[in-house]
Amino acid sequence: MAGASSGAAGSATAQEHWSSRWAFIMAAVGSAVGLGNLVRFPAEVGANGGGAFVIFYILCVVLIGLPVLLSETLIGRHGQSSAIESVKNVAAESGASRWWSLAAGVGMIAAFLILTYYSVLAGWIVYFIGIFGSDVAGAIGSGDIGGGALTGRSVEDVQAILPGLQADPATMLVMHAIFMAITVFIVARGVLGGIEKVAVYLMPAFFVLIAGITIYGAFTGAFSSALEFLFAFEPARLLDPTVQLSALGQALFSLSLGSALMITYGAYASRDTNLAKTSAQIASADTSVAIIAGLAIFPIMFAAMAPGVLDAVLAGEEEVQGGLGLLFINLPVAFQSMPAGSLIGFLFFIMVFFAALTSSVSLLEASVSWAKRRFGVSRLSTTLVLGGIAFLIGAWASFSFNSQAEFQPLDFLIFSGQPVFGIIDELTAKIMLPISALLVAIFVGWVADKRLIDSENGLDGGLHKFWRFLIRWLCPLVITAILVSGLFPGLLGQ
Ligand code: PHE
């Protein structure tokens, strides 16, 4: 059966496979869980009014993300090649145009663009690990590990760490280079020797850390305020197109969908993996981490807020400082006055680093797996070249924080007032990922051979019917509707 056709790739490069289903899950969860869950999700929740965003986000994950995730992994497993070639193979077997591979092409470019700024951000994490690392060392040395963090510094000093780093391109570039070099090193070692190994060790460690920090935050922080903030909402905001587009973009980004990645990783899955079950496990792990991250970050942050400000936030009168400030300004300030703050702060940034690394590795792998076949070059050289280019673009983008902050080339469009970083983020999450996911849904729902799809998806009975309904009707219609309503007010209104 299809097992025989899995050689369809017709490429000289042998296709590698995960060593077990567990390894596949760890690698896919490693890709999904990243800065998207720990930085982007809390920031989007803050910027989009808490609960309404969370509810719409969960709907997007279940009704759109999960069906698309299954579609992507099954294309990959059947196609047995890079994302673009896998779609071509499935299209060829279905007698459809090879141009459907555009679905993966758009996604692959998006993944590459995301990598450029992802690594800069992760570089900041490396920097903060350094700061909190030396703080822990100092605390241990002075026998005061139970005290707060960064005790020699005033609150203003701590708030100035991130702006200071942003104004110091040389340090930022070194951090970005360190992170990109680690990513390149892992991807160059291959699917089994690099990507899988890192995921299998780092992801369990990540889960232990996040559980510990959340429990600690629940006891020492403003846990009930965080719950209220995350889950209370005005129903009217559910209908807000900006909230909807942000939630859809975040759901796709967080599950690494519309980025060619899950097709790429699906191709490394073995024939006996039940893709439906595995996809459900990946999606629930990722969503739980996003919510848990909210429950870990907001209590710590709210505990450090003046009561008046917190009340205004909970009443919806004041926005939580979203964006990067949350993680790099508010949290370090909160760690300052927290018992064992330096240790918690250090472990927190290590945890974020683990999550970021397993994602950046996947972001690079999406294009490496294509380029090495396309140009017939070794994995090592492909990884070095692509990692190098991503580094350079990221380096350029990181200047958008200071000297070129006024340089906003796409200002006339929907990105008014945002530096390059914001542009790449919006362009990928809110435009490219949805377009790629839309094409995948139409391809799997309408174009690809039904028997082929059914032989891969691991579903039967009512669930199978439901999935088919979602991928044929709900996903294409809802993604199109959200894209149009979310983008046009922006295009017209600015
Ligand atoms: N899902 C990752 C995160 O949440 C980011 C990512 C997007 C990784 C697309 C791979 C592909 O951080």
Side-chain angles (χ1 to χ4, degrees), residues 417-492:
Q418 303 193 40
V420 184
F421 251 46
I423 297 172
I424 302 181
D425 182 40
E426 297 263 294
L427 175 72
T428 49
K430 294 188 183 159
I431 302 178
M432 297 175 79
L433 303 187
I435 289 179
S436 166
L438 174 66
L439 293 174
V440 165
I442 300 176
F443 179 66
V444 167
W446 297 92
V447 179
D449 181 40
K450 185 165 177 304
R451 266 167 314 158
L452 178 161
I453 298 295
D454 290 351
S455 72
E456 294 284 348
N457 65 17
L459 285 169
D460 42 37
L463 263 184
H464 181 225
K465 285 213 179 80
F466 187 50
W467 174 73
R468 254 192 103 65
F469 163 74
L470 292 177
I471 207 70
R472 278 167 79 87
W473 296 101
L474 199 85
C475 295
L477 290 176
V478 170
I479 298 177
T480 310
I482 295 181
L483 256 178
V484 171
S485 71
L487 288 181
F488 283 102
L491 280 172
L492 300 175

Side-chain angles (χ1 to χ4, degrees), residues 31-32 34-37 118 253-254 256 259 261 359 362-363:
S31 167
L35 298 177
N37 306 59
Y118 211 86
F253 184 92
S254 192
S256 306
S259 63
L261 188 268
S359 298
S362 75
L363 285 163

Side-chain angles (χ1 to χ4, degrees), residues 28-38 40 107 110-111 114 118 250 252-262 286 355-356 358-360 362-364 366 433:
V29 170
S31 167
V33 170
L35 298 177
N37 306 59
L38 304 168
R40 210 172 182 282
I114 294 172
Y118 211 86
Q250 175 62 20
L252 297 176
F253 184 92
S254 192
L255 290 171
S256 306
L257 294 174
S259 63
L261 188 268
M262 287 298 175
D286 183 65
T358 47
S359 298
S360 66
S362 75
L363 285 163
L364 182 55
L433 303 187

Side-chain angles (χ1 to χ4, degrees), residues 114-375:
I114 294 172
L115 175 65
T116 64
Y117 75 81
Y118 211 86
S119 167
V120 176
L121 268 186
W124 300 1
I125 307 279
V126 174
Y127 185 72
F128 274 79
I129 290 179
I131 291 194
F132 278 89
S134 55
D135 201 49
V136 179
I140 293 176
S142 64
D144 182 28
I145 193 75
L150 310 169
T151 40
R153 310 190 198 205
S154 68
V155 170
E156 290 73 33
D157 288 344
V158 175
Q159 287 170 334
I161 299 177
L162 177 67
L165 177 61
Q166 290 175 345
D168 175 7
T171 311
M172 208 153 65
L173 287 191
V174 171
M175 299 297 144
H176 168 42
I178 293 176
F179 188 81
M180 189 64 90
I182 302 175
T183 303
V184 164
F185 177 76
I186 296 167
V187 174
R189 295 183 58 98
V191 176
L192 277 175
I195 301 174
E196 168 175 324
K197 228 185 213 126
V198 168
V200 164
Y201 285 111
L202 295 194
M203 287 323 285
F206 168 84
F207 280 106
V208 171
L209 285 172
I210 196 169
I213 292 172
T214 311
I215 294 170
Y216 190 79
F219 283 110
T220 52
F223 197 66
S224 58
S225 308
L227 275 182
E228 188 180 333
F229 177 67
L230 283 172
F231 296 108
F233 70 103
E234 309 152 46
R237 285 209 82 166
L238 276 177
L239 302 175
D240 180 346
T242 347
V243 172
Q244 294 176 347
L245 184 62
S246 305
L248 174 69
Q250 175 62 20
L252 297 176
F253 184 92
S254 192
L255 290 171
S256 306
L257 294 174
S259 63
L261 188 268
M262 287 298 175
I263 308 183
T264 310
Y265 275 16
Y268 305 141
S270 74
R271 294 255 17 116
D272 50 14
T273 302
N274 179 324
L275 292 180
K277 191 167 137 202
T278 311
S279 300
Q281 287 164 335
I282 298 167
S284 27
D286 183 65
T287 309
S288 317
V289 171
I291 306 280
I292 292 173
L295 292 178
I297 292 171
F298 287 114
I300 297 178
M301 202 181 101
F302 286 168
M305 258 183 191
V309 179
L310 178 56
D311 289 343
V313 164
L314 292 178
E317 287 154 12
E318 194 157 318
E319 276 202 353
V320 177
Q321 181 190 15
L324 307 164
L326 204 62
L327 207 75
F328 297 102
I329 297 179
N330 301 29
L331 270 186
V333 169
F335 289 138
Q336 252 197 316
S337 51
M338 194 176 196
S342 27
L343 182 63
I344 298 293
F346 177 65
L347 292 177
F348 181 86
F349 285 106
I350 292 276
M351 167 192 96
V352 182
F353 174 78
F354 286 176
L357 188 61
T358 47
S359 298
S360 66
V361 156
S362 75
L363 285 163
L364 182 55
E365 175 66 10
S367 43
V368 164
S369 96
W370 170 77
K372 75 180 173 41
R373 290 181 165 91
R374 174 71 180 75
F375 302 108

